[in-house]
């Protein structure tokens, strides 16, 4: 909320908040126009998800997961993936529970776990090469450290892959370590996979729910906003076994009951279009990823030329950058904030470029260890990246 | 090792998975009856939504927003409400309440009035709190109070049929003042008011609201005022906002709905209006549960309200035309039900009516 106010200032090149400024594909917009013209679609639909949408989701994910998914019992449509996280946590987590959160984490996990009365237990991804990281793959969990976090109170672990903010795409081996612990300790896995289609060359998104023993204990979360570049539609979904999803449905019927109808219908139609071409490279799920890969590469190049050290993400649309190489002295800034907060504020004021400080994504005990990183979002149109290029190329010409 | 693993592969989660807060709130009347209606009935007058179209000016606003070339309408807007919408809501309610409103702090947009109710209960009700609910009530109030850890305390509207044998009006259903007063205790945190009332259609009079207000002030109790049917009031009656009564603004959250206001229930746009000291807590719940509401529907609803602001009080106003049209439908349905021997209770407001079917209780 603090840094979003910056977005309102048009003179600032905003690479902070994670929202696309590229246009969604035209057929997505067209389907919404079509849906809004149908009278019945302006009234309530089925609470747990519009029938044509849950049907489309079940087809797409049956193909991806290689298992039967019942559209009525195994899926819940929610207000964004945010709403799925909320429904899952409210349904399955309570006082006395512990929930393992991998740092850095999407900021809402911690308050949502606390709101459910449970205790967040943090474990950081650590940089393999002693702080010299070139790729998101260098950031890993220590298996022994992870195993130590599990105990009899552990109700769930929250997994985010591809990962925001680092862009890490967890490998099968890494997922197996987590899965083994979930099975051993009989815990749930809440798998936030909103960036599931945004995976770059040489990487594969693997769903932890497809690992042996995991379907029954995993809720997998997806997002229309991230899949189709329509964050403002606020539609997401939770997919899992009936014995878990039924509890999410109870939360949903007691919180907002239904999601907007025309948006769900339009999304369903968009999914059918792409479902039919899932074996075709033109499918939006793959074409968006290709488009973003070149933006990623461009961004990485510009950052390096400005003397910064980017961590190249294997997935997602964020890139984190080590700014310590610039040695910007902010010791005269009075506020008691981590270095990256002060750096971003200085960068906004003096360079008219915004980002998000990485320490925002850490729990209280680890914040200090990661204050040399900031996060840029690169799902931006060319003109925005052009403007960023100008700033980055001129960076060293006027310092401080 | 292998033996252990293969055993677990068949096992589901062996412990109870769901949180205790779900206890007693899993049943839902709509899930059951909507299914029956779609399976069996020829005419569905059960669930509350229009089967006529939303007004043209509203659907046109949606189409305009889509066709306008501003593709940022497909991205996140301000979390607590799309600026054009909160601004016009503030302007509108300033007029209705006769006080200055700040769109940023006195208004918040929600996913339907349903989510507004959820934010109220989560923000303002705690374990050990009692919440007074007037019966008959929109079904979600009870489970929402329970989910927040509160205790619902019920007080019924009681029928006082007219002596002359004429059909009852929803006005004949009243609270007993002494009975109501007895429900307030030191544990009472809030009372939920729904006027016009679903399902009866009762439009609480100034006197009745004054009674509730006095008790709220006396016991320092909050008022959650569900006013989604605020424009659907018949026979020249007036919808009075309890927040405009003495001592009430500061302790009341008013809930409204674009779905009911503009006959577009499927858009799921609602709002709360109230003092910042209460809304700040609703904002906290909102930012930790859904965070943003869909942008484009908010944009279209904003335009709908801008039109109504200009036409306020005029005959072409949708808020004048819709109740006029619905009053005729009400009268028609009342006549039909009466003619077969059901005893309809004539509603002063909303688009529901309740009928007494006891004459049929002997039928096979």
């Amino acid at each position: 909320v603090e840094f979003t106010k910056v977005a309102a200032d048009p003179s600032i090149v905003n690479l902070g908040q994670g929202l696309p400024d590229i246009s969604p594909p035209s057929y997505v917009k067209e389907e919404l126009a079509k849906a809004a013209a149908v009278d019945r679609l302006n009234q309530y639909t089925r609470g747990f998800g519009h029938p044509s949408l849950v049907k489309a989701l079940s087809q797409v994910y049956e193909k991806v997961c290689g298992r039967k998914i019942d559209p009525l019992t195994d899926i819940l449509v929610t207000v964004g993936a945010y709403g799925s996280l909320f429904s899952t946590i409210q349904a399955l987590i309570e006082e006395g529970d512990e929930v393992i959160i991998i740092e850095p984490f999407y900021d809402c996990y911690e308050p949502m776990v606390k709101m459910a009365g449970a205790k967040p237990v943090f474990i950081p991804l650590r940089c393999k090469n002693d702080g010299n990281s070139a790729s998101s793959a260098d950031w890993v969990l220590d298996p022994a450290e992870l195993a130590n976090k599990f105990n009899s109170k552990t109700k769930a672990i929250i997994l985010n892959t591809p990962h925001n903010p680092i862009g890490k795409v967890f490998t099968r081996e890494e997922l197996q370590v987590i899965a083994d612990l979930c099975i051993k300790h009989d815990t749930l896995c809440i798998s936030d996979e909103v960036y599931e289609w945004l995976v770059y060359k040489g990487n594969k998104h693997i769903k932890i729910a497809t690992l042996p023993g995991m379907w029954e204990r995993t809720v997998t979360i997806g997002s229309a906003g991230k899949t189709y570049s329509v964050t403002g539609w606020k539609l997401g979904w939770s997919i899992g076994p009936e014995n878990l999803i039924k509890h999410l449905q109870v939360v949903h019927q007691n919180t907002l009951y239904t999601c907007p109808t025309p948006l769900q219908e339009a999304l369903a139609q968009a999914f059918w279009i792409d479902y039919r071409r899932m074996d075709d490279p033109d499918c939006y799920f793959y074409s968006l990823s290709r488009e973003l890969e070149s933006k990623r590469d461009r961004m990485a190049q510009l950052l390096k030329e400005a003397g910064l050290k980017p961590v190249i993400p294997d997935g997602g649309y964020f890139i984190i950058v080590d700014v310590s190489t610039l040695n910007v002295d902010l010791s005269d800034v009075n506020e008691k904030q981590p270095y990256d907060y002060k750096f971003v504020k200085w960068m906004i004021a003096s360079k008219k470029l915004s980002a998000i400080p990485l320490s925002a994504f850490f729990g209280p005990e680890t914040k200090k260890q990661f204050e040399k990183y900031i996060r840029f979002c690169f799902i931006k149109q060319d003109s925005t990246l052009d403007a960023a290029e100008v700033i980055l190329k001129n960076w060293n010409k006027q310092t401080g | 090792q292998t033996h252990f693993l293969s055993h677990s592969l068949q096992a589901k989660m062996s412990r109870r998975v769901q949180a205790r807060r779900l206890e007693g709130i899993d049943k839902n009347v709509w899930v059951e009856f909507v299914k029956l209606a779609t399976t069996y009935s020829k005419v569905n007058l059960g669930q509350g939504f229009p089967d006529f179209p939303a007004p043209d000016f509203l659907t046109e606003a949606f189409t305009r927003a889509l066709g306008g070339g501003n593709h940022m309408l497909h991205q996140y807007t301000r979390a607590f409400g799309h600026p054009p919408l909160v601004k016009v809501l503030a302007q509108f309610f300033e007029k209705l309440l006769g006080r200055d409103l700040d769109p940023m702090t006195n208004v918040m947009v929600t996913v339907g009035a349903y989510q507004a109710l959820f934010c109220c209960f989560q923000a303002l009700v705690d374990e050990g709190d009692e919440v007074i609910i007037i019966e008959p009530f929109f079904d979600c109030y009870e489970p929402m109070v329970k989910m927040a850890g509160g205790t619902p305390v019920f007080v019924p509207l009681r029928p006082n049929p007219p002596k002359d044998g004429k059909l009852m009006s929803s006005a004949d259903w009243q609270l007993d003042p002494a009975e109501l007063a007895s429900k307030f205790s030191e544990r009472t945190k809030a009372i939920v008011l729904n006027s016009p009332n679903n399902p009866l259609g009762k439009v609480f009079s100034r006197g009745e609201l004054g009674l509730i207000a006095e008790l709220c002030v006396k016991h320092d109790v909050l008022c959650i005022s569900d006013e989604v049917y605020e424009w659907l009031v018949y026979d020249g009656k007036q919808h009075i906002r309890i927040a405009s009564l003495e001592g009430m603004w500061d302790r009341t959250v008013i809930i409204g709905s674009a779905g009911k206001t503009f006959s577009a229930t499927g858009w799921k746009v609602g709002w709360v209006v109230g003092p910042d000291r209460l809304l700040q807590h609703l904002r906290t719940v909102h930012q930790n549960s859904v965070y943003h509401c869909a942008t484009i529907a908010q944009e279209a609803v904003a335009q709908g309200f801008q039109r109504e602001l200009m036409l306020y009080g005029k005959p072409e106003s949708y808020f004048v035309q819709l109740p006029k049209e619905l009053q005729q439908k009400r009268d028609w349905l009342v006549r039909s039900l009466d003619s077969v021997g059901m005893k309809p209770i004539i509603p002063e407001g909303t688009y529901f009516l309740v009928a007494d079917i006891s004459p049929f209780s002997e039928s096979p």
Side-chain angles (χ1 to χ4, degrees):
Chain A
V1 175
E2 189 183 342
F3 285 91
T4 310
K5 287 189 200 140
V6 164
D9 183 343
S11 72
I12 294 174
V13 178
N14 185 7
L15 300 186
Q17 196 191 2
L19 87 176
D21 68 3
I22 62 172
S23 175
S26 50
Y27 60 90
V28 168
K29 296 186 280 186
E30 276 154 29
E31 289 302 333
L32 185 55
K34 277 198 243 165
V38 178
D39 293 335
R40 180 65 185 85
L41 294 176
N42 289 313
Q43 307 304 334
Y44 291 132
T45 183
R46 176 178 171 268
F48 304 142
H50 187 54
S52 61
L53 177 56
V54 292
K55 189 100 209 329
L57 287 168
S58 74
Q59 300 280 284
V60 169
Y61 286 103
E62 273 181 2
K63 207 173 153 86
V64 173
C65 297
R67 75 173 298 132
K68 194 99 190 55
I69 295 174
D70 184 316
L72 301 182
T73 60
D74 299 346
I75 301 180
L76 173 67
V77 176
T78 55
V79 176
Y82 213 94
S84 270
L85 285 160
F86 183 74
S87 298
T88 305
I89 292 169
Q90 284 286 311
L92 306 174
I93 308 295
E94 61 183 350
E95 262 192 56
D97 287 343
E98 288 184 10
V99 177
I100 298 173
I101 298 176
I102 299 167
E103 296 171 304
F105 54 89
Y106 179 57
D107 69 309
C108 81
Y109 301 161
E110 184 186 1
M112 284 191 183
V113 165
K114 283 174 155 169
M115 192 171 160
K119 177 176 169 211
V121 170
F122 301 104
I123 177 170
L125 284 163
R126 293 183 192 286
C127 196
K128 266 195 306 202
N129 307 320
D130 251 347
N132 271 318
S133 160
S135 155
S136 59
D138 297 327
W139 292 67
V140 297
L141 290 173
D142 178 323
E145 190 182 5
L146 178 63
N148 258 333
K149 302 290 180 178
F150 280 77
N151 61 44
S152 57
K153 296 208 195 87
T154 310
K155 189 72 182 285
I157 177 168
I158 302 178
L159 172 68
N160 178 215
T161 180
H163 181 271
N164 170 13
I166 295 183
K168 177 183 178 62
V169 174
F170 283 71
T171 63
R172 185 174 291 277
E173 294 69 35
E174 289 173 313
L175 294 175
Q176 193 61 61
V177 169
I178 296 171
D180 288 345
L181 286 162
C182 285
I183 291 167
K184 177 174 176 187
H185 294 272
D186 198 25
T187 63
L188 297 164
C189 180
I190 302 171
S191 190
D192 176 353
E193 302 185 12
V194 298
Y195 302 104
E196 57 187 309
W197 303 111
L198 306 183
V199 177
Y200 307 124
K201 268 206 240 41
N203 297 280
K204 189 163 145 64
H205 173 66
I206 295 162
K207 288 181 160 319
I208 196 170
T210 58
L211 268 57
M214 289 306 286
W215 171 258
E216 290 303 326
R217 59 184 68 255
T218 305
V219 175
T220 305
I221 294 171
S223 156
K226 309 297 191 270
T227 298
Y228 282 110
S229 311
V230 287
T231 59
W233 287 28
K234 286 293 295 192
L235 285 174
W237 47 86
S238 301
I239 299 183
E242 180 181 356
N243 67 295
L244 296 182
I245 297 296
K246 70 183 183 193
H247 302 302
L248 276 66
Q249 290 175 337
V250 170
V251 171
H252 188 78
Q253 86 196 20
N254 287 298
T255 52
L256 49 94
Y257 201 81
T258 48
C259 294
T261 316
L263 294 167
Q264 291 190 71
E265 174 64 23
L267 184 60
Q269 296 307 320
F271 264 117
W272 286 123
I273 290 171
D274 284 301
Y275 172 70
R276 282 191 284 271
R277 50 181 191 172
M278 264 177 95
D279 294 323
D280 186 326
D282 281 341
C283 175
Y284 191 68
F285 306 158
Y286 320 133
S287 66
L288 177 63
S289 178
R290 286 194 301 273
E291 188 186 336
L292 287 180
E293 187 162 349
S294 53
K295 291 182 192 286
R296 174 196 74 165
D297 295 341
R298 183 183 175 191
M299 203 61 234
Q301 187 59 27
L302 294 173
L303 292 164
K304 285 184 196 155
E305 283 169 6
L308 293 155
K309 261 179 39 176
V311 174
I312 314 294
D314 288 327
Y317 51 56
F318 298 108
I319 184 166
I320 67 166
V321 184
D322 178 346
V323 299
S324 64
T325 43
L326 292 180
N327 277 315
V328 175
D329 184 0
L330 297 167
S331 50
D332 59 340
V333 177
N334 269 325
E335 301 156 50
K336 279 199 175 81
Q337 286 190 321
Y339 179 80
D340 52 353
Y341 272 74
K342 293 199 268 189
F343 184 92
V344 170
K345 286 185 176 168
W346 165 83
M347 190 175 68
I348 291 170
S350 61
K351 303 292 180 187
K352 297 288 189 197
L353 178 67
S354 80
I356 300 284
L358 207 73
S359 55
F361 299 85
F362 285 88
E365 286 166 32
T366 5
K367 267 191 209 295
K368 272 272 159 191
Q369 296 172 34
F370 296 93
E371 59 176 350
K372 62 178 186 173
Y373 292 99
I374 65 176
R375 182 198 82 172
F376 286 108
C377 171
F378 56 86
I379 183 166
K380 303 289 176 183
Q381 56 189 336
D382 290 340
S383 56
T384 310
L385 295 179
D386 291 340
E389 178 168 354
V390 170
I391 294 170
L392 289 165
K393 285 207 145 90
N394 287 317
W395 189 283
N396 293 310
K397 292 191 182 148
Q398 3 139 344
T399 21
Chain B
Q1 269 295 339
T2 345
H3 175 75
F4 172 78
L5 203 59
S6 65
H7 174 76
S8 318
L9 291 180
Q10 278 108 63
K12 293 187 183 179
M13 287 285 292
S14 59
R15 57 167 119 176
R16 188 200 69 208
V17 290
Q18 74 276 24
R20 279 179 299 250
R21 69 179 64 81
L22 303 190
E23 262 155 44
I25 64 169
D26 51 325
K27 296 280 174 285
N28 184 280
V29 63
W30 307 110
V31 176
E32 187 183 347
F33 281 88
V34 166
K35 201 162 167 211
L36 281 172
T38 43
T39 315
Y40 294 110
S41 58
K42 287 210 190 315
V43 180
N44 181 6
L45 300 185
Q47 197 187 357
F49 63 87
D51 69 359
F52 52 76
D56 286 338
F57 66 83
L58 192 76
T59 50
E60 278 160 20
F62 196 97
T63 308
R64 261 198 316 274
L66 271 180
N70 176 9
H71 62 251
M72 292 312 283
L73 285 176
H74 295 283
Q75 307 308 333
Y76 294 131
T77 182
R78 179 177 167 270
F80 303 132
H82 189 50
L85 180 55
V86 292
K87 287 197 179 115
V88 72
L89 283 169
Q91 280 177 286
F92 219 96
F93 282 89
E94 271 180 351
K95 243 176 125 77
L96 298 171
L97 295 168
R99 63 163 56 230
D100 284 335
L101 294 177
D102 179 348
M104 301 291 134
T105 57
N106 296 134
V107 182
M108 184 177 83
V109 175
T110 55
V111 181
Y114 213 95
Q115 195 230 337
L117 286 160
F118 179 73
C119 286
C120 283
F121 293 117
Q122 286 288 314
L124 307 171
V125 175
D126 229 338
E127 265 194 58
D129 287 344
E130 288 179 4
V131 178
I132 298 172
I133 297 176
I134 299 166
E135 295 170 303
F137 56 91
F138 180 56
D139 72 303
C140 81
Y141 301 158
E142 184 185 0
M144 284 193 183
V145 167
K146 285 172 152 169
M147 194 171 159
T151 306
V153 170
F154 300 103
V155 59
L157 285 163
R158 293 185 186 283
N160 296 308
K163 306 285 186 233
D164 55 7
K166 280 220 188 82
L167 287 175
M168 266 203 285
S169 150
S170 55
D172 296 321
W173 287 65
Q174 288 142 10
L175 290 171
D176 177 317
E179 189 180 11
L180 177 63
S182 75
K183 303 291 180 176
F184 281 76
S185 79
E186 69 220 358
R187 283 174 305 281
T188 310
K189 187 71 182 286
I191 179 168
V192 185
L193 173 68
N194 176 217
S195 180
N197 169 284
N198 169 11
L200 276 173
K202 178 182 179 62
V203 174
F204 283 69
S205 68
R206 188 173 288 279
E208 289 171 314
L209 294 175
L211 184 67
I212 295 170
E214 240 178 73
L215 286 161
C216 284
V217 172
K218 176 174 173 186
H219 295 272
D220 196 21
V221 160
L222 300 171
C223 180
I224 297 169
S225 186
D226 176 351
E227 304 185 18
V228 297
Y229 300 103
E230 57 189 313
W231 301 111
L232 302 184
V233 178
Y234 311 122
D235 308 317
K237 288 234 158 85
Q238 224 210 339
H239 168 65
I240 296 161
R241 293 175 174 83
I242 196 169
S244 61
L245 268 59
E246 182 90 41
M248 290 307 287
W249 165 255
D250 212 52
R251 58 181 69 254
T252 306
V253 179
I254 308 170
I255 294 171
S257 158
K260 308 295 191 269
T261 296
F262 290 113
S263 311
T265 59
W267 286 23
K268 293 292 291 188
V269 175
W271 52 83
V272 288
V273 174
D276 187 36
R277 76 165 191 119
L278 296 180
L279 257 58
Q280 64 176 320
H281 302 302
L282 274 69
R283 289 195 290 269
T284 303
V285 174
H286 183 78
Q287 86 191 25
N288 286 302
S289 56
V290 306
Y291 199 21
H292 300 88
C293 300
T295 312
I296 203 147
Q298 292 188 66
E299 175 68 26
V301 171
Q303 290 188 33
F305 264 110
Q306 272 146 18
R307 176 208 195 253
E308 287 302 304
L309 192 61
M310 282 197 311
L311 294 175
Y312 188 71
K314 303 210 168 87
E316 315 98 284
S317 156
Y318 190 67
F319 300 165
V320 169
Q321 298 199 330
L322 183 63
K324 219 162 125 196
E325 194 185 324
L326 288 181
Q327 180 167 323
Q328 293 181 338
K329 292 180 192 282
R330 173 195 72 168
D331 296 343
W332 190 5
L333 187 59
V334 165
R335 279 196 299 274
S336 306
L337 294 171
D338 192 27
S339 71
V340 299
M342 285 196 212
K343 297 209 170 313
I345 299 162
I346 305 176
E348 300 155 275
T350 78
Y351 46 53
F352 298 109
L353 70 79
V354 171
D356 181 349
I357 53 164
S358 49
F360 291 74
S361 63
E362 301 303 316
S363 313

